[in-house]
Each structure stands twice: as C-alpha cells, then as structure tokens.
C-alpha cells in the first residue's frame, strides 16, 4: 500500500444552515458524505467538524476545496469594515453620484439612492490623470503620494481601495500606489487587479467591495491555513465556476462571492456533459436560498456581474439567480396571503421540526407535516425530526386561514414552488429559452423534495436527482477544473483593427491568468486557454460574449457575433462592431472521478402516511435509495441518510448504476 492510499480529497460547501462535505480517495475507491450545522461565527471550526463527521483526521487530508457565501453574506448584511477610497482628483464622488436613476421609480417615500459604500470624508482625490487610451496627461509625483499617505494615516482604516481614472488602460499609477502603500495600511485593493474594465462607477464599486472583504477573507483564510496546514492542497472555489489557490484569493477575495452556488453549477455541467443533455436547469434548494442556473450545450451561462445590497458587484461569474426561498425560509400570513422568505431560520435555531428551539414556521416544517420527512431517523445522524413541533408552528396559520393542517402545509408548498418557478423563468424565458424543453437537475437539501412539484408547475418533463444530491455543491468543489480568469477592456473597432496590438494585449492577459496556476505547481503544458470576446455594435451599450481562438480571425469573429446577436435579439445589421473586452480563462482540466458515496445507515423500508396535492393521508411507500434497483411509481418517498426524494402520484423514479435518479411523469 502506497502512502497516498490513506490520503483523501475533501470538498465542502458552507451554506447558511448546513456545512456539507464529501471526501474521496482513489485507491481503494471510496466516497463519504456528511452534513453538520453551519457556524456563522466560526466557519473554520464547522469545516473541521465536517472532516470529523466523515471519520477523517486532518492528517489524512491532502486536498481541501471549499465554497462559501461568507463574503456575500457580509456584503448583503452590511457587516463590512471601514474602507478609504482613492480616486483621481475630481472623481472622488463617483460612488455618491452612482447611476442617474432611482432605486424605485414610483416610490417617493424612500431615498432615490442608497448611501454610498464610502462616505465623502473617507474619499481622497489624487492629482494625476490618464486618458482613455492610457496615456499619461498628469504624472503622479512623490509629493502627491506623501500627501495621500499623511491623509490615510489619519483615517485609521485597515483597507484602501484605489480606483484611478482609466487605470484599466494603463495601471502605472495604481502600481506605484500599491508599492508605496504596503506599509501604510494592511490591505490595498487596486482596480486594475479587481476589475480592469471601463465604467468608472461599477469598477470603483467592485474595488471597494474587494477592499472591504480583504480583512474578512485574510483573517478567515489564514486561520484555515493554520488549522489545516496542507499547503497548495488548500483551495477555494470561485464564482466563475472553478477553484483557485488561497494566495490569489487573499488579493481578490471578491472571487469568493457566490462561490457556493457556483460549485453546484460546476458539478451540474459535468452531469449535463455526461448525459449529453443540451439544455439543463439547475435547481439548488438549500436551507436559506434557492439558486438556479441555465446550462446550454455543456456550458453554464456567464454574466459580468450582479447587484448585491443595491450595489453593483462587477466581475465575471456564473449566471446564478438566487432567491430567499430555502428549506429554512420563514412562512408568513400577511395581508396579501402566504409568503415564504427571504428571512430564514438559519442553522440556529433552524426550522421548528429540527427541535433546536425554532418557533416560526418554515418550508421544512410544511414538508414535515405532510409526512415527507422521516421522524424515526436523524438527518446526518445528528438532527431528528419533531413532527409535533412542526404542527405547533403551522397550526396558528391554519386557524387564521380556516384550513386544515394538511391543506395549509400544501398551500405553503405551492407558494414556495411558485416562487421558485419565477426564478426559473428569469434564467430561461428572459433569455429566449423555453424552459419546458429543459431537464431539471435538482439537488441541495430541499431540491429533491420539491423537484417533481416544481416540474409539474413549470411544465418540465424530466427531473434528474444526482447521486450525493444533498452534498452536490461540495462535490462540485472536487470535480471542478483548477483555473483563473482575467477580463479587461479593449475597445477595438473591427474596422481598421490593429491586430498586432490586440494580439499583444491578449497574450499579456493569458500570461496573467496562467500565473497563479503555474505558481501552484501546474505545468504550462497542462494549461488550456479559453478566449471570449465581449462584443457590441459601436452605438450599443452592452456587449455579448463570442468565443474565439488564436490567431484572431476578424472575419470569423464578426460572423459569429452577428449569428449570436440574431439568436438573442432576432436581428443583426451591417453596422460597425467593437470588441469591448476580452475574457481569458486559464484552466487545468480536472481528472477527479467520484465513486458512488457510501451511506451511514440504511433506511427502514415500509409505509408512512403522506399527503400530496389532491391525495390526502395515503399510505406511501418508503424506499431505501441505496437498495433501489427498479422503477418505482408514486406515491413514494426515497430516502437515504442525507436526503429525501418525493415521488408524487403520477410520477415514477428510475435509478441508474451510479446512484442517479430520473423522475418522469406516468406509471411504470
């Protein structure tokens, strides 16, 4: 037996309610999964507890990859440390001006804009200037830098964001400040590293977010390195759908935003390619949120950013749409009827049925009342199901509505499914895709319970429940490629393009994207490069992605742009077009293969009284997922130690040899 045979690769996903873990080794092949309650105030401790939950010692772990929403939560909840902003003189109020539009067009009782990320007293105007092509109009001198240093020392901040005008075209002044400020403040965030693109407000906002996240991320990641000292084997999942080394994340912690949901999408891409599914919708229902994404021809949709806390977070990331409708989402009966979320019971106290002190009704409590959750087993051998507690918190709503407990619980599930169906429409109909033609891939703690009902409501014919569905995002951390991504504004008109200059800029981007991988031991020959041009007509504002290869073929690129534009908008013209930006992704493809995970305990087969839409209090087959080898017709509940799959009347479930389940309408 070699020394590596007892070493494990571990993937974890820190959610708002649970921390999921999957551990694998290759010889002999084995996979283990577990769940432990998340610890928002001590996330590293939760990860170490997760390692123990799969029966491992820290010394047995040789690779550890994790996704987390820690940075995202800090942004949304407004728990960011104070930051100073350094901008070009005359542009220090860019965050205060923001975009010239109201938050809510028809409400005059709310402020037109939210408060700026950095108040005016912590914004500094620096005497320097570049033009839009990066030519120096006013040089940055030592006296001006010394004036800045004196001012910064008086602010007492830990972090400073530097976003100088047109630094994306030439970062010379930002690099000078980066070197000079190293001993002045603990953390320096430079816009040309965070978001080297045009649009001053969005670039400045992203740079400030990154600066504010740096103290949180550095402290958190340093603790993780100290308590799990495995060197380069320690990696973080980023929001563009791959893993990156910790050293790179400390400089750009903003890449961790949405990393947990992105990991689930990454694993979904592997499933879509494996099954040859042309269009797949991911449906990740956790304890706090539901995240959905569209996968077309084996590629997940990408976006240039999103809004967080009414502020733009601009950087390339997977186009995951999130809503506050998870298993722990609180149910309320207001003047407009039943609503779910966005408030969540979280991990402490959690839903009432977990018996941890929860007192407000949640979606999970409704599932418990309907009989879907097994009161005789413990979730992950840790959390039992208290049906009476679930009944007690839903009873007041039932009394107010004048309905039975069963009808009330079914109503809650319908409202939850309708809320999640709207999220699916956001990533399909609004992008010109008929969602009814897609396959729904359901995972997360609650996804397999709601998948068939959601598919019925939306008109989807097939649902896939992957093996290890409850820890699927953690699985994505392990199976994803090792990669890094760079995107930079180019602004090159195709008519009269300077091919030599453009090719040189692309070469620099490729080197920058490859550097973190090479620094972590990846050979240059193992790195694959993917190139995307963000293109638009000269008079347009927004760009669309068009893949290309080197050497750059302008005729082919324009042809592909016109075809993509016609596909998205129904027309294409002969107007002049522009390469707005170039996106480069350097990746080493993953070779990790995960065998079917073992289960901690077998589920006792039998029957349980459950209720479904139109079918109340009927005897329902309870089936152990690990032993399932034949097609099962609903109503049925398929269980393992970590998850519950609901097969309603009129649906059937078919297993494959890898442990995946395929749900379709109709009797066997």
């Amino acid at each position: 037996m070699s020394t590596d045979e007892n070493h494990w690769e571990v993937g974890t996903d820190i959610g708002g309610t649970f921390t999921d873990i999957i551990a694998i080794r290759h010889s002999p092949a084995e996979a283990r999964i577990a769940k432990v309650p998340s610890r928002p105030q001590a996330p590293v401790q939760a990860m170490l507890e997760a390692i123990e939950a799969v029966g491992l010692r820290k010394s047995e772990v040789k690779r550890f990859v994790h996704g987390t929403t820690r940075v995202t939560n800090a942004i949304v909840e407004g728990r960011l440390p104070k930051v100073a902003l350094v901008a070009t003189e005359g542009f220090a109020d860019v965050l205060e001006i923001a975009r010239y539009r109201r938050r809510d067009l028809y409400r005059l009782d709310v402020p037109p804009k939210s408060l700026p990320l950095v108040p005016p007293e912590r914004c500094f105007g620096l005497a320097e200037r570049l033009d839009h092509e990066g030519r120096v109009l006013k040089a940055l001198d030592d006296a001006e830098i010394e004036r800045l240093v004196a001012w910064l020392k008086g602010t007492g901040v830990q972090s400073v964001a530097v976003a100088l005008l047109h630094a994306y075209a030439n970062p010379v002044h930002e690099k000078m400040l980066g070197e000079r400020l190293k001993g002045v403040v603990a953390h320096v965030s430079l816009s040309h590293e965070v978001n080297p693109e045009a649009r001053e407000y969005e670039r400045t906002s992203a740079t400030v977010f990154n600066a504010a996240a740096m103290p949180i991320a550095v402290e958190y990641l340093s603790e993780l390195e100290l308590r799990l000292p495995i060197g380069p084997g320690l990696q973080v999942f980023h929001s563009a759908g791959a893993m990156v080394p910790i050293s790179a994340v400390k400089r750009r912690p903003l890449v961790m935003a949405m990393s947990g949901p992105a990991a689930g999408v990454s694993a979904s891409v592997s499933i879509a390619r494996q099954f040859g599914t042309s269009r797949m919708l991911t449906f990740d229902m956790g304890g706090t949120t539901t995240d959905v994404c569209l996968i077309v021809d084996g590629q997940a949709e990408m976006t240039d950013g999103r809004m967080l806390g009414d502020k733009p977070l601009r950087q390339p990331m997977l186009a995951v749409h999130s809503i506050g409708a998870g298993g722990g989402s609180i149910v309320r009966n207001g003047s407009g009827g039943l609503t779910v979320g966005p408030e969540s019971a979280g991990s402490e106290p959690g839903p009432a049925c977990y018996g941890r002190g929860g007192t407000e009704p949640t979606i999970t409590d409704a599932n418990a009342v309907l009989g879907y959750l097994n009161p005789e087993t413990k979730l992950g051998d840790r959390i039992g199901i208290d049906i009476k507690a679930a009944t007690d918190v839903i009873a007041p709503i039932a009394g107010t509505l004048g309905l039975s407990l069963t009808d009330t619980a079914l109503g809650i599930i319908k409202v939850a499914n309708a809320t999640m169906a709207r999220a699916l429409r956001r990533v399909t109909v609004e992008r010109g895709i008929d969602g009814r033609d897609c396959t729904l891939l359901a995972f997360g703690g609650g996804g397999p319970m709601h998948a068939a009902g959601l598919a019925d409501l939306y008109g989807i014919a097939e649902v896939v429940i992957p093996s290890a569905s409850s820890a699927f995002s953690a699985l994505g951390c392990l199976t994803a490629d090792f990669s890094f991504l760079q995107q930079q504004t180019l602004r090159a008109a195709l008519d009269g393009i300077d091919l030599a200059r453009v090719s040189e800029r692309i070469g620099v981007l490729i080197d920058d994207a490859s550097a973190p991988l090479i620094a972590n031991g990846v050979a240059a020959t193992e790195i694959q490069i993917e190139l995307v041009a963000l293109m638009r007509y000269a008079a347009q504002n927004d760009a669309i992605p068009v893949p290309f290869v080197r050497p750059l073929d302008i005729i082919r690129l324009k042809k592909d742009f016109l075809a993509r534009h016609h596909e998205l908008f129904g027309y294409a013209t002969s107007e002049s077009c522009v390469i707005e930006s170039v996106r480069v992704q350097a990746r080493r493809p993953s070779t990790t293969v995960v065998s079917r995970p073992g289960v901690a305990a077998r589920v006792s087969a039998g029957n349980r009284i459950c209720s479904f839409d139109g079918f109340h209090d009927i005897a329902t087959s309870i089936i152990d997922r690990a032993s399932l080898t034949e097609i099962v017709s609903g109503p049925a509940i398929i269980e393992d130690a970590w998850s519950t799959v609901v097969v309603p009347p009129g649906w059937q479930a078919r297993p494959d040899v890898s442990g995946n389940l395929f749900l379709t309408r109709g009797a066997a």
Side-chain angles (χ1 to χ4, degrees), residues 395-554:
I397 296 179
T400 301
L401 295 175
L403 299 174
S404 68
L405 275 171
T406 297
D407 284 332
T408 302
L410 286 169
I412 291 170
I413 299 304
K414 286 182 179 180
V415 170
N417 287 346
T419 302
M420 293 182 283
R422 287 196 293 272
L424 293 183
R425 292 188 185 99
R426 287 290 301 273
V427 299
T428 54
V429 175
E430 295 183 15
R431 298 181 190 177
I433 298 291
D434 188 343
R436 294 171 298 181
D437 296 336
C438 299
T439 296
L440 187 68
L441 184 73
F443 53 95
M449 279 193 288
H450 289 256
L454 180 59
D456 260 332
L457 181 63
Y458 200 73
I460 293 174
E462 183 180 55
V463 175
V464 178
I465 313 292
S467 178
S469 57
S470 65
F472 200 60
S473 291
L475 175 66
C477 290
L478 284 183
T479 58
D481 297 337
F482 192 31
S483 84
F484 203 73
L485 185 147
Q486 290 283 87
Q487 182 167 311
Q488 186 169 10
T489 292
L490 200 61
R491 282 183 174 164
L494 292 194
D495 296 336
I497 191 171
D498 185 343
L499 270 178
R501 170 181 167 270
V502 170
S503 297
E504 181 183 358
R505 293 278 295 276
I506 293 172
V508 172
L509 279 175
I510 291 173
D511 291 341
D512 290 345
S514 302
L517 276 66
I518 294 172
N520 278 263
V522 179
T525 54
E526 297 178 5
I527 297 175
Q528 297 180 359
I529 301 297
E530 294 181 3
L531 302 171
V532 174
L534 285 302
M535 299 188 65
R536 59 176 174 82
Y537 287 118
Q540 278 182 322
N541 186 47
D542 295 320
I544 60 176
V546 182
F548 70 96
V549 296
R550 289 199 300 173
L552 181 59
D553 184 335
I554 297 301

Side-chain angles (χ1 to χ4, degrees), residues 170-345:
N170 182 359
V172 58
H173 289 170
E174 285 198 352
K175 287 182 176 180
M176 288 172 61
L177 290 180
E179 287 297 319
R180 183 63 181 84
L181 298 180
K182 280 183 178 178
V184 179
V185 290
H187 307 288
V188 180
S189 176
L190 305 176
S191 74
H192 76 274
E193 294 180 346
V194 176
N195 180 231
E197 297 183 86
R199 301 190 180 192
E200 296 305 313
Y201 169 55
E202 285 78 7
R203 178 165 59 91
T204 304
S205 176
T207 306
V208 170
F209 272 141
N210 192 74
M214 288 176 88
I216 299 171
V218 170
E219 178 184 358
Y220 161 62
L221 294 173
S222 296
E223 181 187 355
L224 183 58
E225 288 177 307
L226 180 65
R227 301 184 67 180
L228 191 60
I230 58 175
L234 204 55
Q235 298 159 0
V236 176
F237 206 85
H238 71 66
S239 52
M243 65 193 82
V244 291
I246 277 186
S247 57
V249 177
K250 285 183 176 180
R251 292 285 298 170
R252 290 174 56 186
L254 207 58
V255 302
M256 288 197 296
M258 303 302 295
S259 71
V265 173
S266 176
S268 301
V269 167
S270 298
I271 291 286
R273 292 172 179 172
Q274 176 185 339
F275 295 155
T277 305
S278 61
R279 292 180 176 179
M280 179 171 279
L281 281 168
T282 70
F283 170 45
D284 176 7
M285 184 178 179
T288 305
T289 63
T290 290
D291 307 304
V292 298
C293 188
L294 175 66
I295 299 171
V296 178
D297 296 329
Q299 294 289 337
E301 292 283 294
M302 294 282 290
T303 180
D304 287 330
R306 58 181 299 163
M307 300 296 289
L308 278 181
D310 292 330
K311 304 292 192 303
L313 192 161
R314 186 169 174 82
Q315 65 172 11
M317 60 177 67
L318 292 177
V320 178
H321 181 62
S322 301
I323 58 172
S329 293
I330 294 171
V331 180
R332 303 197 188 281
N333 181 30
S335 57
L338 288 176
T339 60
V340 295
E343 299 88 355
S344 172

Side-chain angles (χ1 to χ4, degrees), residues 120-198:
E121 62 269 20
R122 292 205 304 273
C123 297
F124 185 93
L126 194 71
E128 63 83 43
R129 189 67 179 265
L130 306 175
D131 69 8
H132 68 286
E133 293 186 354
R135 293 178 295 229
V136 177
L137 301 179
K138 181 177 179 56
L140 177 60
D141 58 35
D142 290 339
E144 188 67 2
I145 295 177
E146 290 304 320
R147 186 171 74 90
L148 169 62
V149 169
W151 177 83
L152 272 177
K153 289 179 177 178
T155 65
V157 298
Q158 288 182 278
S159 295
V160 59
V162 180
L164 302 181
L165 194 65
H166 303 308
Y168 59 86
N170 182 359
V172 58
H173 289 170
E174 285 198 352
K175 287 182 176 180
M176 288 172 61
L177 290 180
E179 287 297 319
R180 183 63 181 84
L181 298 180
K182 280 183 178 178
V184 179
V185 290
H187 307 288
V188 180
S189 176
L190 305 176
S191 74
H192 76 274
E193 294 180 346
V194 176
N195 180 231
E197 297 183 86

